[in-house]
C-alpha cells in the first residue's frame, strides 16, 4: 500500500432475516433485520499531488455524493489525491452494495481527516441519499430502513453458515416499495407473529428459532417478490439438514441457513442440487456468532 493511504471498509448483507412491517397497521413502515455477510466493500484514498488533468473520482455516484455531503457537514476541503475502490458485493441483487460503498467511503473520510467516527453524521448522510440497511453496525438490529432509525439492537451472538445462489436479474427497491407496503397491510398479523418469534430467538440466543422465523419471512415475501428457487429450497431443506431458508426480500438471493458448518460431503450434495436448478452455489459465513 502506498505511504499515506487510508481505507474504509464495510461488510454487505445476504438480504434479510426479516423484512416486513414493524407492527400491524394501516400505515406500515419497512423494517428489516439485515443478514450481514463476510463480504466487503473497500474504499481507499491516497493523499498527494495528482499529475496530469483533473480526474473524475473513482467513486460511484452515491459514494461521491456521500463524500460531498460529509465535506459540507464539516466545512472541509478534500486534499489532492486518488480514490480507489474494490467490492465483493454485486449491485442490485440484495447485498446492500450501495450502502456498503457509502459507509466505506465515509469511514475512509473520517480517517483521512482524523475525525472521531460519528454514527449520527453517517446516518444523516445516508438519509439524504437512500433507504439503507444497518451495515454500519457490528451487530444485528431491527432497523427502519426509510427513517434510518435503529429500533432495537439484537447483539452479535448469532451466526450461520450459508449456501446460496443469485438468481438472474436485479430489483429496483424504490419501484417495488408501494407493492410491499400493500402486501404488509394485507398480511400484517402474520408478519407480527414472525417478528415476535424472530426477536425471541435473538433474546434466547437460539439460532434455530431465528432460522425458522427467517424462513417464515421469506415465505411471506414469495407472495409479492417471488424467488424461482424458493419452493425447491423449502422442499429439500430437511434433506440437507438446513435450519432455515433466507432470501434477499427485495433482491435476487436465496439460500440455506445452517447453525453448524455443513460437512464436506453435504457441501458437495448442495452444490449438485443447486447446479440441477441451474445455479452455481456460494458458501459464506453470515451473521457474527
Amino acid at each position: 500500500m502506498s505511504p499515506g493511504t487510508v481505507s474504509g471498509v464495510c461488510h454487505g448483507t445476504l438480504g434479510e432475516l426479516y423484512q416486513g412491517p414493524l407492527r400491524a397497521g394501516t400505515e406500515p413502515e419497512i423494517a428489516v433485520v439485515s443478514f450481514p455477510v463476510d463480504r466487503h466493500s473497500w474504499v481507499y484514498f491516497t493523499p498527494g499531488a495528482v499529475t496530469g488533468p483533473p480526474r473524475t473520482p473513482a467513486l460511484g455516484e452515491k459514494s461521491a455524493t456521500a463524500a460531498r455531503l460529509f465535506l459540507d457537514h464539516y466545512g472541509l476541503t478534500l486534499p489532492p489525491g486518488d480514490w480507489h475502490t474494490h467490492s465483493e458485493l454485486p449491485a442490485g441483487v440484495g447485498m446492500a452494495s450501495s450502502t456498503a460503498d457509502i459507509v466505506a467511503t465515509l469511514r475512509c473520510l473520517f480517517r483521512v481527516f482524523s475525525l472521531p467516527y460519528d454514527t449520527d453524521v453517517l446516518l444523516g448522510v445516508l438519509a439524504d441519499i437512500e433507504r439503507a440497511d444497518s451495515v454500519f453496525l457490528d451487530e444485528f438490529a431491527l432497523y427502519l430502513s426509510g427513517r434510518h432509525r435503529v429500533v432495537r439492537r439484537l447483539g452479535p451472538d448469532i451466526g450461520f453458515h450459508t449456501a446460496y445462489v443469485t438468481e438472474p436479474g436485479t430489483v429496483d427497491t424504490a419501484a417495488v416499495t408501494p407493492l410491499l407496503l400493500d402486501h404488509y397491510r394485507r398480511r400484517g398479523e402474520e408478519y407480527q407473529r414472525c417478528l415476535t418469534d424472530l426477536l425471541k430467538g435473538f433474546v434466547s440466543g437460539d439460532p434455530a428459532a431465528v432460522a425458522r422465523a427467517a424462513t417464515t419471512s421469506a415465505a411471506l415475501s414469495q407472495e409479492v417478490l417471488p424467488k424461482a428457487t424458493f419452493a425447491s429450497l423449502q422442499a429439500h431443506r430437511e434433506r440437507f439438514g438446513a435450519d432455515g431458508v433466507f432470501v434477499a426480500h427485495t433482491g435476487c438471493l436465496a439460500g440455506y441457513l445452517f447453525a453448524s458448518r455443513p460437512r464436506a460431503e453435504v457441501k458437495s450434495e448442495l452444490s449438485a442440487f443447486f447446479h440441477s436448478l441451474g445455479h452455481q452455489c456460494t458458501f459464506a459465513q453470515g451473521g457474527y456468532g
Side-chain angles (χ1 to χ4, degrees):
M1 187 168 69
S2 302
T5 295
V6 294
S7 175
V9 183
C10 183
H11 67 260
T13 71
L14 291 178
E16 303 81 23
L17 297 177
Y18 175 84
Q19 180 172 308
L22 179 61
R23 57 184 64 85
T26 56
E27 293 299 328
E29 295 183 71
I30 297 178
V32 298
V33 177
S34 294
F35 184 28
V37 65
D38 193 21
R39 300 285 188 272
H40 297 83
S41 172
W42 289 263
V43 173
Y44 302 95
F45 184 76
T46 305
V50 179
T51 59
R55 299 181 218 169
T56 302
L59 296 175
E61 180 180 351
K62 290 181 179 180
S63 294
T65 298
R68 176 180 56 78
L69 291 170
F70 177 96
L71 296 170
D72 289 348
H73 175 83
Y74 285 106
L76 297 169
T77 300
L78 190 70
D82 280 325
W83 291 103
H84 296 279
T85 64
H86 177 74
S87 180
E88 299 173 313
L89 308 170
V93 301
M95 297 187 76
S97 61
S98 66
T99 305
D101 289 347
I102 291 168
V103 172
T105 300
L106 295 175
R107 285 176 171 168
C108 183
L109 285 166
F110 279 117
R111 293 172 64 84
V112 168
F113 293 101
S114 300
L115 292 169
Y117 183 63
D118 190 330
T119 302
D120 289 337
V121 171
L122 185 147
L123 286 173
V125 170
L126 280 173
D128 283 341
I129 298 175
E130 66 175 8
R131 191 180 281 278
D133 297 86
S134 58
V135 292
F136 56 90
L137 297 175
D138 286 325
E139 63 178 315
F140 286 102
L142 178 60
Y143 184 69
L144 291 177
S145 61
R147 292 173 59 185
H148 300 274
R149 181 165 72 87
V150 177
V151 177
R152 182 171 173 179
R153 292 173 181 261
L154 301 173
D157 297 334
I158 297 287
F160 293 102
H161 302 272
T162 73
Y164 70 92
V165 297
T166 305
E167 297 183 1
T170 58
V171 174
D172 183 339
T173 304
V176 301
T177 295
L179 297 175
L180 290 173
L181 294 178
D182 285 343
H183 175 59
Y184 297 164
R185 291 184 187 97
R186 291 193 304 270
R187 303 301 298 270
E189 292 184 4
E190 291 94 334
Y191 273 108
Q192 195 64 52
R193 287 195 293 270
C194 174
L195 180 56
T196 298
D197 291 343
L198 184 85
L199 296 178
K200 286 180 178 177
F202 274 106
V203 169
S204 61
D206 184 349
V210 170
R212 287 193 297 272
T215 306
T216 300
S217 183
L220 283 165
S221 78
Q222 280 293 102
E223 298 175 20
V224 61
L225 289 172
K227 307 295 182 288
T229 56
F230 182 79
S232 294
L233 288 171
Q234 273 281 64
H236 293 269
R237 182 185 64 79
E238 292 185 5
R239 167 189 165 193
F240 296 115
D243 293 280
V245 178
F246 73 93
V247 299
H249 291 65
T250 49
C252 307
L253 305 176
Y256 285 127
L257 298 166
F258 295 89
S260 300
R261 182 186 296 274
R263 301 186 310 277
E265 57 266 36
V266 175
K267 285 187 173 182
S268 295
E269 292 172 7
L270 283 163
S271 299
F273 167 67
F274 282 119
H275 185 75
S276 74
L277 300 178
H279 300 286
Q280 172 61 49
C281 82
T282 299
F283 300 106
Q285 184 77 27
Y288 302 99

